[in-house]
Amino acid sequence: MNPIVAKVTHEIEHRSQNTRKEYLEKIRIQANQKPNRDALSCGNLAHAVAPFEEQEKQKILDKQRSNVAIVTAYNDMLSAHQPYKDYPDTIKKVLFGEGHSAQVAGGVPAMCDGVTQGQVGMEMSLFSRDTIAMATSVSLSHNIFDATLLLGICDKIAPGQLMGALAFGHLPTAFVPAGPMASGISNDQKSQVRQKFASGEVGKEALLASECSAYHSHGTCTFYGTANTNQLVFEAMGLMLPGSAFVHPDDELRLELTKFISRHVASLSRGSDNYRPLAETFSAKTLVNGLVALLSSGGSTNHTIHMIAIARAAGLILTWEDIDALSEVVPLLVSIYPNGSDDINAFQHKGGTPRLLSQLNTLNLLHMDVQPVYGSMSDYLKSPSLSAEGELVFRELDDISESNVIATSDAPFKFKGGLKLLKGNLGRGVMKISAIEASNLVVTGEVKVFSDQNDVVEAYEQGILNGNYIVVVRFNGPCMNGMPELHKLMPIMSNLMNKGHSVALVTDGRLSGASGKVPAVLHVTPEAAKGGAIALLEDGDLVSIDAIKGTIECGTDLSDRSAATPPKTNYESGYGREYFQLFRQSVSPADQGASIFFNGDVS
Ligand SMILES: O=C(O)[C@H](O)[C@@H](O)[C@H](O)[C@H](O)COP(=O)(O)O
């Protein structure tokens, strides 16, 4: 085992001694209570089975068999989740056929960040993760289940479902992925048309045609954004079947994987010899495996927030320093957009997550002594396929061939991982360095300060940003307006870079996982609305960003400055934002997971 990986794991375990103990004790009590259906009254049971046919009723009531909860994030607004429509029927058919049972315990909301990017809805996006965690808990609170299947993929949904399921960590739990859409026009082509639109070279019609050729059918988006990062990282954490994340929704293999995981999770329930509760599957070692996979693949910056909140839901205290330390020793082994030009389908074609995990294992960067939901960690180095008889089999990977998508362990794309922590007199923030050219890792310039991304667009259109400027977008932190993704600014910033300007973004907001080439210090904490030093900045101040050393400093003396007044824009009302006031009041800082559940109780 790599000594730094071992050290970080040990530090997480040590720091989390009390919280993990409390968590496991809570789960132990839940596990030791009477099996759920024994604890329910006849009236409770009758309500639970009322809508089912007699035969199915009997199966649900049969305490010798498993009753599996399905928590679904189906809707047909999200291309990634649209395939889930028929999954509950498939799962129920398989399980009832085997004498077990399954029920849709509940549906959780699922918003598409692609639809809400740059729109008001984005201000509820991050908060939707905790809402989904609560909705998952409400679904499972019927307490009639022996295992859980989570049907969720995209950005906030899968992390929220996992957080909710961890509160029911006595239940064996697995994710059921649905796979990516087929490749349309390439992500590079899509970005180029956006940049042309931003500079006025093409009109809206050409832009819409380009967007519709990129996003053209069901399945997850093909770039390596937050949704696909969830999938890769969760597979690496053993929360789904090996090699299952990126099989196309219409592939026959996809259906067999869904049937297999349904049967499998039912076989793990309490009382069986195979009992494997989520609380044991998800340990500090599992968490570190997920982080190693995140860093080696150049995954989404959003995971510097979600992984902390997920860890906390399992009683584990993870810090940005842990992620930064791992990033120093985990090489970048994946090159897909925005860290390269290929997409997630190319990654799958080259062996996908099992191939990546094999390379990481060769480098001794993975904990192999964990308890994934299926088999052992060595099984996660194998790839699923269908035999001639149509049976699902997991096969050893072929020897690796040259690949410009997944590097071999001895020839990584970069020697360090994808994320960097930056600290200094402006606070702490994270930068995704996997896609950034070496010459852009250090940027010094005068700042142009904004409080609203739309004002940046206006300034760009007026030519005010032409030059070597660091664009600061503050008052976009979790307490202010829910920490929206500012991905809308990327075509503008890219155009400025293409003109030869040395630019960077500094913000207490977020960026999409699909953002890459622009140096951007994100999630700056403390946020402007909570006394952060970025609230002191004024146009013309000199700021230096150094993603090699890990520093962000303002060269101007700020000691006599007072904080700027937050913008007058009403973030508190309209389009449902009024219902999230409690979230804005209670949310923890980004480096503590930006969650309403764990604010202030961690030293
Ligand atoms: O974090 C993410 O991955 C994004 O939120 C992603 O879910 C969103 O859909 C992007 O807006 C799409 O990226 P493009 O706009 O570049 O296609």
Side-chain angles (χ1 to χ4, degrees):
M1 167 62 48
N2 177 293
I4 299 295
V5 177
K7 182 168 176 267
V8 169
T9 312
H10 176 74
E11 282 171 3
I12 295 171
E13 283 169 343
H14 184 71
R15 184 189 305 133
S16 313
Q17 260 172 351
N18 293 340
T19 46
R20 181 68 176 169
K21 201 168 143 206
E22 270 168 38
Y23 172 74
L24 291 177
E25 180 58 12
K26 173 182 79 181
I27 297 303
R28 194 189 59 76
I29 292 169
Q30 290 175 194
N32 285 347
Q33 271 165 5
K34 275 198 267 184
N36 304 333
R37 279 165 289 176
D38 280 339
L40 296 184
S41 73
C42 295
N44 296 148
L45 289 168
H47 276 82
V49 298
F52 287 82
E53 301 287 336
E54 190 53 35
Q55 255 193 339
E56 293 176 335
K57 268 186 195 181
Q58 291 314 320
K59 285 177 182 163
I60 298 173
L61 293 172
D62 181 352
K63 294 168 206 157
Q64 305 311 311
R65 299 296 192 143
S66 296
N67 187 31
V68 176
I70 303 168
V71 179
T72 177
Y74 164 74
N75 68 46
D76 60 12
M77 280 295 302
L78 268 86
S79 59
H81 289 211
Q82 187 269 358
Y84 279 146
K85 186 169 182 226
D86 301 325
Y87 275 42
D89 288 345
T90 304
I91 295 167
K92 283 193 229 173
K93 199 169 162 203
V94 169
L95 289 177
F96 279 117
E98 305 227 338
H100 295 298
S101 54
Q103 297 182 277
V104 177
V108 301
M111 65 186 285
C112 176
D113 285 357
V115 176
T116 57
Q117 199 65 252
Q119 309 294 331
V120 167
M122 178 52 85
E123 291 169 24
M124 284 168 283
S125 158
L126 182 55
F127 293 153
S128 78
R129 184 200 64 205
D130 286 5
T131 310
I132 289 160
M134 290 193 283
T136 302
S137 299
V138 172
S139 307
L140 296 174
S141 70
H142 293 111
N143 206 21
I144 190 173
F145 306 110
D146 303 298
T148 310
L149 286 175
L150 299 169
L151 276 51
I153 295 168
C154 284
D155 305 19
K156 262 54 67 184
I157 300 119
Q161 286 179 318
L162 180 53
M163 288 165 70
L166 279 163
F168 291 77
H170 59 294
L171 300 178
T173 300
F175 275 90
V176 186
M181 72 173 70
S183 306
I185 61 163
S186 76
N187 286 291
D188 268 336
Q189 281 171 292
K190 178 189 73 184
S191 298
Q192 279 163 24
V193 178
R194 282 181 191 178
Q195 285 168 32
K196 282 187 182 158
F197 178 76
S199 63
E201 285 172 69
V202 300
K204 212 163 179 176
E205 216 174 300
L207 180 62
L208 183 59
S210 162
E211 296 291 328
C212 289
S213 313
Y215 302 107
H216 59 93
S217 82
H218 59 225
T220 315
C221 305
T222 60
F223 50 79
Y224 193 47
T226 308
N228 284 327
T229 304
N230 280 339
Q231 296 302 291
L232 190 150
V233 168
F234 285 21
E235 187 178 316
M237 293 199 293
L239 297 170
M240 58 176 76
L241 283 178
S244 65
F246 302 120
V247 176
H248 187 271
D250 300 338
D251 196 310
E252 272 178 71
L253 177 59
R254 169 60 64 212
L255 179 62
E256 292 309 316
L257 285 162
T258 302
K259 291 181 184 171
F260 189 98
I261 191 63
S262 307
R263 280 186 220 107
H264 179 70
V265 83
S267 75
L268 301 178
S269 57
R270 212 170 359 156
S272 79
D273 295 342
N274 311 327
Y275 179 46
R276 195 168 283 196
L278 176 63
E280 280 174 26
T281 298
F282 197 97
S283 64
K285 288 180 177 175
T286 314
L287 175 68
V288 169
N289 282 351
L291 292 167
V292 167
L294 169 73
L295 295 164
S296 64
S297 59
S300 171
T301 45
N302 280 318
H303 285 76
T304 61
I305 300 176
H306 298 326
M307 293 296 270
I308 289 175
I310 291 168
R312 196 62 190 80
L316 297 167
I317 301 165
L318 173 70
T319 66
W320 279 351
E321 279 75 9
D322 296 328
I323 301 176
D324 192 56
L326 290 171
S327 195
E328 287 293 307
V329 295
V330 174
L332 184 71
L333 296 176
V334 177
S335 172
I336 46 177
Y337 189 90
N339 312 315
S341 51
D342 284 298
D343 70 7
I344 200 72
N345 292 310
F347 174 72
Q348 174 68 5
H349 184 65
K350 296 289 181 187
T353 314
R355 172 83 69 205
L356 173 64
L357 295 180
S358 300
Q359 299 306 307
L360 292 171
N361 183 37
T362 307
L363 292 167
N364 293 320
L365 291 167
L366 290 179
H367 292 285
M368 297 303 283
D369 56 340
V370 290
Q371 290 204 353
V373 70
Y374 171 76
S376 68
M377 200 56 203
S378 341
D379 291 306
Y380 283 73
L381 312 182
K382 295 179 187 163
S383 185
S385 58
L386 294 181
S387 70
E389 295 74 39
E391 294 278 300
L392 180 66
V393 285
F394 292 92
R395 293 202 167 98
E396 302 284 343
L397 293 167
D398 304 335
D399 280 347
I400 191 154
S401 53
E402 276 301 297
S403 162
N404 52 1
V405 178
I406 307 176
T408 48
S409 54
D410 54 349
F413 297 118
K414 288 187 182 174
F415 285 96
K416 290 187 181 178
L419 295 163
K420 184 80 190 163
L421 171 63
L422 285 83
K423 298 182 191 179
N425 61 4
L426 289 178
R428 299 154 86 239
V430 294
M431 191 193 273
K432 177 166 166 171
I433 50 173
S434 49
I436 297 182
E437 304 230 345
S439 57
N440 292 327
L441 289 172
V442 179
V443 183
T444 297
E446 284 183 18
V447 294
K448 292 274 185 204
V449 185
F450 302 88
S451 300
D452 185 324
Q453 58 178 327
N454 294 309
D455 296 339
V456 182
V457 179
E458 213 175 293
Y460 171 78
E461 284 166 357
Q462 291 168 2
I464 294 172
L465 297 181
N466 276 324
N468 297 336
Y469 294 118
I470 293 181
V471 174
V472 175
V473 185
R474 65 190 178 192
F475 293 114
N476 275 262
C479 292
M480 187 71 204
N481 61 350
M483 207 181 185
E485 290 185 349
L486 307 174
H487 186 55
K488 178 177 168 176
L489 301 179
M490 286 305 100
I492 289 175
M493 300 296 289
S494 302
N495 276 351
L496 292 168
M497 278 175 85
N498 292 345
K499 281 187 184 169
H501 301 310
S502 164
V503 301
L505 175 71
V506 173
T507 181
D508 49 7
R510 293 182 295 134
L511 267 192
S512 154
S515 310
K517 295 185 175 62
V518 177
V521 187
L522 310 173
H523 313 168
V524 171
T525 306
E527 63 172 287
K530 285 281 170 183
I534 55 168
L536 305 175
L537 289 173
E538 288 172 6
D539 280 356
D541 288 341
L542 205 64
V543 165
S544 299
I545 295 166
D546 188 331
I548 301 169
K549 287 197 199 128
T551 55
I552 173 164
E553 299 282 352
C554 177
T556 316
D557 180 12
L558 301 174
S559 51
D560 290 338
R561 296 261 180 93
S562 5
T565 324
K568 289 212 166 53
T569 326
N570 186 4
Y571 293 122
E572 295 179 354
S573 164
Y575 299 96
R577 288 173 296 180
E578 46 276 44
Y579 297 136
F580 287 83
Q581 184 59 16
L582 280 176
F583 282 67
R584 285 184 290 269
Q585 279 166 5
S586 319
V587 65
S588 62
D591 59 355
Q592 289 176 39
S595 174
I596 58 166
F597 306 136
F598 316 113
N599 198 356
D601 65 344
V602 171
S603 56

